[in-house]
Amino acid sequence: MPDVNTHTQFGGAAEPANLASRREGRSFSGISIALLGSGAALASFFAPQPDIQLGLLAFAAALIVFSGLVFAYKALQTRKKSYATQAVISLVEHDATPCFLADFEGNVSFRNETANEKFRDRASDALARIFADMFANPGAVLFRMQSKAHALGSAREDIVTRKGHVRLAVNAVETDMYLWRLEDLSDRGGGARAVDALSLPMLTAGPTGTVLYMNEAFRRLLGGRAKNLGGVFADLPIASGQVHKVLCEAGEIESLVAEVPSHGGRREIYLLPGDELVEGADKGTDWDAIEELPVPLLKISATGEVLSSNHEARTLLDNKIADGCRMSDLLEGLGRPLTDWITETVEGKGMGAPQFLEAIHKDKEIHVQVSLNPAGSEGAAAYVVAVLSDVTEFKNLELQFVQSQKMQAIGQLAGGIAHDFNNLLTAISGHCDLLLLRHDQGDRDFADLIQIHENANRAAALVGQLLAYSRKQNLQPEVIDLRNTLSESTHLLNRLVGERLTLTLDHDPSLKPIRADKRQLEQVLMNLVVNARDAMPDGGNIRIETENTVLAEPLHRDRVTVPAGRYVVLRVHDTGMGIPESKRNKIFEPFWTTKTSSGGTGLGLSTAYGIIKQTGGYIFVDSTVGVGTTFSILIPSHDAPIEHVEKPDEPAISVPVTGDGVVLLVEDEAPVRAFASRALRLRGFTVLEADCAESALNMLANPDLEVDLFLTDVIMPGKDGPTWVREALAERPNTKVVFVSGYAEEAFGEDQKSIPNSVFLPKPFSLTELTKTVHNQLH
């Protein structure tokens, strides 16, 4: 038995051991069984006892019968193999593509007429030698592809060779027989001879404008072959679908130009002279010359009817071009009647600029760039030639960018409004706290003050939702188990949905932890459940489920790309009325709602959107009108252990905080500054006031002035809070700092972290929160 490791095929590539052993052992089984039976029969004659002789004879007979069956099976398999091989040969014998039938080692047993013609000078029976002038290392190419075909049944590769671009394909016919096909892709449409036979001028240009190929029609038009595009066109660069001046042998002519990108940065450029296309031709046959051109083209009458179309146009528009249809039946989105645009083109009015339109389709979005060009000879009915380009991918990227810009602009607006409102609410609620210090429950004004205080808190919650949408709120992320969070919220959620609705929870038992703000995640869940409840006024079911999921590759959905990785998915299903597709792209915008003015603010879903985005997750919606809606939230899973935060015990009786330190208060909003200074003085602190950073630094220029703590706004005219604090700490490094702002801490978190002994207090804050924060910093 030969050494398998030294066996080679295709002139050097090693054959896999399992394949070699199988080939060597194919005919072994039948012969070995027959020999074993003969040996058993012979041994029976030397057996000492009769019963042993009979047993050996019976065993020998069984083996001989079995070996006969094996031989018959092998003969049947050989006959079937012969039939299969003959079927393949008859199938490819007259194929226009060179075909070879070869065994496992690459020995050719059959080649069709085309292969004999193309490789006449290479009469070898080995594939590696036949392809030696085409591939640099034919043995490696053939071995690689045959190994794949053996495992998968077939293989195909496009290969750029020294003689052009080819496609090599192989199919496994039997265990050790393979059909090879070699297709020439050097020129689109079937090679140079097919392109030369094309009546329309065509050329291939490289990335730098060098003319790589020019068909016979183009060479005849120019009177020779040009070296670059500058020798072909008088007005560069080329724009597909536009009319350009061609430098012909008899002078310049204008022609409609269509361009198709090709492999390797190449471009195929076609001339489409309208008058020549219809000269002496009837409708339906005048476009035979461009039927197979890789450029989508439509012939449209002056009144908008589609007279003709080529194959590429029908493919792009999903074969919707029926007899008698109009351009308006296929495309929309111009903003005015398409017939007006066609009429202007026929009459030579307008700039002739291409337009971006959308194909009318129920199932998918198809965006096309359309260029119209007048055509028709004198005395013939005028028409236009429409050159179409598929720009769906480009438009999707553009829409994704526009949507993100819109959401960002709305977020910035919401964040700015929230900042200003927080300043007002700080002054309102703060002075209300000061008034409550002078009134007890028996006072007739006490109830009014409580109402002011509660409504200020409601306004603060509304502002918090605006900040959530703009992703500028304060988050306190921690590693949590989503199942525990949902379980703790079940009682509240049941109260929200009421008795008419059924709320069920379905958890993945092996759910991974996530890192998020538990309180804000509960807010998202409440908003989604309330939204589901309002969609089912007559009752229904709400199901909340969680699961782990792994994205092996990025998920592209709703113009958003979710990176590959491990995620925890939270879904909220309802059986409500559903959301129409026309409204689905607006549901996350703030203040947009389908409810009545008393039914909601339109901030529920926008708040959920902002919280999930700030958490680093993604939220999507699936809805069917009349069936229900599903909101899906994807949050990256976390490998860290779940954090158990110990909450400090609150004192049974709230004791007012008192202090004796010196506080430098820097706040540009006078009402906020007035409240904060009064509140701190009431608690025993000495307060120095400044309305800007520059005033504060001037005060600190006095070395005899003692200051224990800086209480400063972050966003102010001139120098902001972190900037002036750094300058002041250079001379007073031990001074404590409290930053306050209507924006989120994350907006300047890096600045704060770089400043020692500093904490953050978000606006609006109460009297107690302010004095307690200052006291804790000083002590």
Side-chain angles (χ1 to χ4, degrees):
M1 186 172 180
D3 186 1
V4 172
N5 293 328
T6 61
H7 185 83
T8 58
Q9 60 183 136
F10 302 130
E15 177 181 10
N18 61 332
L19 300 180
S21 62
R22 183 167 61 185
R23 290 194 310 105
E24 293 176 356
R26 277 189 306 232
S27 60
F28 175 74
S29 57
I31 297 173
S32 60
I33 293 172
L35 290 175
L36 186 60
S38 301
L42 183 63
S44 66
F45 292 105
F46 300 98
Q49 298 178 6
D51 54 346
I52 296 178
Q53 289 180 352
L54 290 174
L56 287 173
L57 286 172
F59 179 63
L63 288 177
I64 292 172
V65 170
F66 184 67
S67 66
L69 293 175
V70 170
F71 278 120
Y73 175 76
K74 291 290 184 180
L76 180 62
Q77 290 296 101
T78 303
R79 183 174 297 179
K80 286 184 177 180
K81 176 179 175 181
S82 176
Y83 288 155
T85 303
Q86 288 301 321
V88 171
I89 290 175
S90 62
L91 182 66
V92 302
E93 188 172 6
H94 302 291
D95 196 332
T97 300
C99 299
F100 302 87
L101 191 64
D103 63 11
F104 190 87
E105 296 179 353
N107 297 317
V108 177
S109 60
F110 168 79
R111 63 173 80 188
N112 67 355
E113 296 176 0
T114 310
N116 281 325
E117 180 70 25
K118 185 175 181 66
F119 298 98
R120 182 179 300 173
D121 56 338
R122 275 164 276 174
S124 172
D125 290 333
L127 275 178
R129 293 190 182 94
I130 293 174
F131 294 151
D133 291 344
M134 183 168 292
F135 304 130
N137 188 358
V141 174
L142 296 172
F143 175 71
R144 179 178 68 246
M145 294 188 62
Q146 184 170 292
S147 299
K148 187 183 295 185
H150 178 79
L152 304 177
S154 64
R156 186 182 74 180
E157 288 187 13
D158 289 352
I159 306 171
V160 179
T161 72
R162 66 193 73 172
K163 293 192 175 183
H165 189 196
V166 299
R167 174 173 294 164
L168 184 62
V170 57
N171 291 78
V173 179
E174 284 295 331
T175 304
D176 60 351
M177 296 298 291
Y178 297 88
L179 175 66
W180 298 84
R181 300 180 79 251
L182 184 69
E183 185 179 357
D184 188 1
L185 301 180
S186 297
D187 293 284
R188 203 162 179 150
R193 286 182 296 178
V195 177
D196 277 336
L198 187 66
S199 61
L200 296 176
M202 173 267 179
L203 64 82
T204 302
T208 61
T210 303
V211 175
L212 305 177
Y213 173 78
M214 185 176 287
N215 73 347
E216 178 62 28
F218 223 134
R219 293 195 297 269
R220 192 166 56 247
L221 183 67
L222 299 184
R225 177 171 176 171
K227 294 183 178 180
N228 52 58
L229 291 179
V232 180
F233 299 99
D235 46 352
L236 295 176
I238 297 298
S240 182
Q242 299 295 305
V243 174
H244 287 271
K245 295 179 180 179
V246 184
L247 303 175
C248 301
E249 184 179 20
E252 290 185 2
I253 65 167
E254 290 188 344
S255 175
L256 179 61
V257 176
E259 179 181 329
V260 181
S262 185
H263 57 274
R266 298 178 180 181
R267 298 179 293 164
E268 295 179 358
I269 299 174
Y270 299 84
L271 300 188
L272 309 175
D275 293 345
E276 296 180 15
L277 289 178
V278 297
E279 187 174 352
D282 298 326
K283 176 185 175 182
T285 62
D286 53 341
W287 277 36
D288 289 346
I290 59 173
E291 170 63 22
E292 296 302 327
L293 281 186
V295 184
L297 298 170
L298 297 176
K299 176 184 175 184
I300 304 170
S301 71
T303 55
E305 289 85 6
V306 178
L307 303 177
S308 297
S309 62
N310 69 345
H311 174 74
E312 284 292 323
R314 294 190 293 274
T315 301
L316 175 60
L317 300 176
D318 207 15
N319 295 313
K320 291 182 58 179
I321 307 175
D323 291 338
C325 79
R326 302 177 60 82
M327 187 177 180
S328 56
D329 297 329
L330 304 174
L331 302 167
E332 63 181 358
L334 183 63
R336 60 191 180 107
L338 289 172
T339 52
D340 292 352
W341 184 29
I342 297 171
T343 302
E344 291 176 0
T345 304
V346 171
E347 296 176 353
K349 300 177 181 178
M351 299 297 293
Q355 300 291 335
F356 290 96
L357 305 179
E358 184 174 357
I360 299 175
H361 200 284
K362 292 182 179 179
D363 301 327
K364 59 182 179 180
E365 289 185 358
I366 304 175
H367 296 277
V368 294
Q369 179 183 353
V370 183
S371 300
L372 295 185
N373 296 272
S377 57
E378 294 184 7
Y383 67 92
V384 296
V385 175
V387 182
L388 282 59
S389 299
D390 187 357
V391 293
T392 303
E393 184 176 355
F394 168 76
K395 290 298 290 185
N396 285 337
L397 290 173
E398 183 184 50
L399 291 172
Q400 180 179 345
F401 176 74
V402 170
Q403 178 71 6
S404 65
Q405 290 291 100
K406 182 177 74 171
M407 298 296 269
Q408 182 180 0
I410 295 175
Q412 289 176 343
L413 176 63
I417 293 173
H419 172 264
D420 293 338
F421 264 95
N422 275 334
N423 280 327
L424 297 174
L425 291 172
T426 301
I428 293 171
S429 61
H431 284 91
C432 185
D433 287 341
L434 293 173
L435 286 172
L436 285 172
L437 293 176
R438 301 197 300 270
H439 295 75
D440 55 26
Q441 293 187 6
D443 197 307
R444 63 179 182 178
D445 295 330
F446 185 82
D448 295 333
L449 292 174
I450 291 296
Q451 282 292 322
I452 295 173
H453 193 272
E454 289 179 353
N455 282 282
N457 289 337
R458 289 180 59 191
L462 187 64
V463 171
Q465 292 183 341
L466 281 174
L467 284 173
Y469 172 74
S470 63
R471 288 177 262 168
K472 293 180 179 178
Q473 64 172 342
N474 291 288
L475 294 184
Q476 297 175 352
E478 56 183 304
V479 181
I480 60 174
D481 188 332
L482 193 54
R483 294 171 295 183
N484 296 338
T485 303
L486 293 176
S487 299
E488 294 170 3
S489 305
T490 303
H491 179 67
L492 176 59
L493 295 177
N494 278 318
R495 289 178 56 191
L496 283 174
V497 301
E499 298 180 354
R500 285 189 171 188
L501 302 176
T502 302
L503 178 66
T504 58
L505 275 70
D506 184 10
H507 293 307
D508 186 333
S510 59
L511 197 67
K512 297 285 186 181
I514 61 172
R515 190 170 189 272
D517 187 315
K518 181 179 178 181
R519 179 175 56 88
Q520 296 295 341
L521 207 57
E522 290 173 348
Q523 179 69 51
V524 170
L525 188 61
M526 286 175 55
N527 290 355
L528 294 179
V529 170
V530 168
N531 200 68
R533 178 200 66 188
D534 294 341
M536 298 181 288
D538 299 326
N541 299 314
I542 300 176
R543 187 172 80 258
I544 302 173
E545 61 183 38
T546 60
E547 68 173 6
N548 297 317
T549 188
V550 178
L551 297 180
E553 55 186 22
L555 170 66
H556 303 282
R557 179 180 173 183
D558 298 345
R559 304 189 179 99
V560 174
T561 300
V562 182
R566 301 178 182 272
Y567 293 86
V568 171
V569 183
L570 169 65
R571 295 189 183 93
V572 179
H573 304 270
D574 69 58
T575 56
M577 60 188 72
I579 307 171
E581 186 177 358
S582 59
K583 298 179 180 179
R584 225 172 288 165
N585 61 341
K586 298 181 180 179
I587 59 175
F588 294 119
E589 296 180 6
F591 304 114
W592 189 91
T593 179
T594 58
K595 304 173 186 177
T596 61
S597 57
S598 60
T601 61
L603 285 173
L605 291 178
S606 61
T607 300
Y609 172 86
I611 292 172
I612 295 302
K613 282 295 184 183
Q614 194 172 358
T615 304
Y618 302 85
I619 182 169
F620 302 105
V621 59
D622 298 284
S623 187
T624 303
V625 176
V627 177
T629 301
T630 300
F631 283 91
S632 302
I633 297 172
L634 281 76
I635 301 177
S637 60
H638 208 273
D639 295 329
I642 297 174
E643 301 174 3
H644 298 282
V645 181
E646 296 285 341
K647 293 185 177 181
D649 296 332
E650 295 290 337
I653 301 175
S654 178
V655 179
V657 175
T658 58
D660 55 0
V662 179
V663 178
L664 174 57
L665 172 62
V666 185
E667 170 63 64
D668 61 311
E669 291 286 340
V672 177
R673 190 171 65 250
F675 152 65
S677 61
R678 286 184 59 190
L680 292 172
R681 288 190 180 104
L682 282 173
R683 296 297 184 233
F685 296 100
T686 301
V687 181
L688 306 174
E689 299 181 38
D691 60 356
C692 64
E694 288 75 13
S695 298
L697 292 173
N698 289 334
M699 294 174 62
L700 293 173
N702 181 3
D704 298 329
L705 180 65
E706 294 186 2
V707 177
D708 300 308
L709 182 141
F710 300 146
L711 176 62
T712 177
D713 193 6
V714 174
I715 307 298
M716 296 182 295
K719 294 182 180 180
D720 60 21
T723 301
W724 83 259
V725 166
R726 282 197 195 90
E727 296 182 18
L729 289 178
E731 300 295 332
R732 302 168 183 263
N734 298 322
T735 308
K736 305 295 179 64
V737 183
V738 175
F739 289 108
V740 296
S741 178
Y743 283 119
E745 183 177 6
E746 282 74 12
F748 54 95
E750 295 300 325
D751 283 338
Q752 183 200 329
K753 291 176 184 177
S754 65
I755 297 176
N757 301 320
S758 64
V759 296
F760 178 78
L761 178 63
K763 296 178 182 178
F765 48 77
S766 66
L767 184 150
T768 302
E769 291 170 339
L770 173 63
T771 55
K772 186 176 181 180
T773 302
V774 172
H775 179 271
N776 290 341
Q777 271 294 86
L778 290 174
H779 300 85

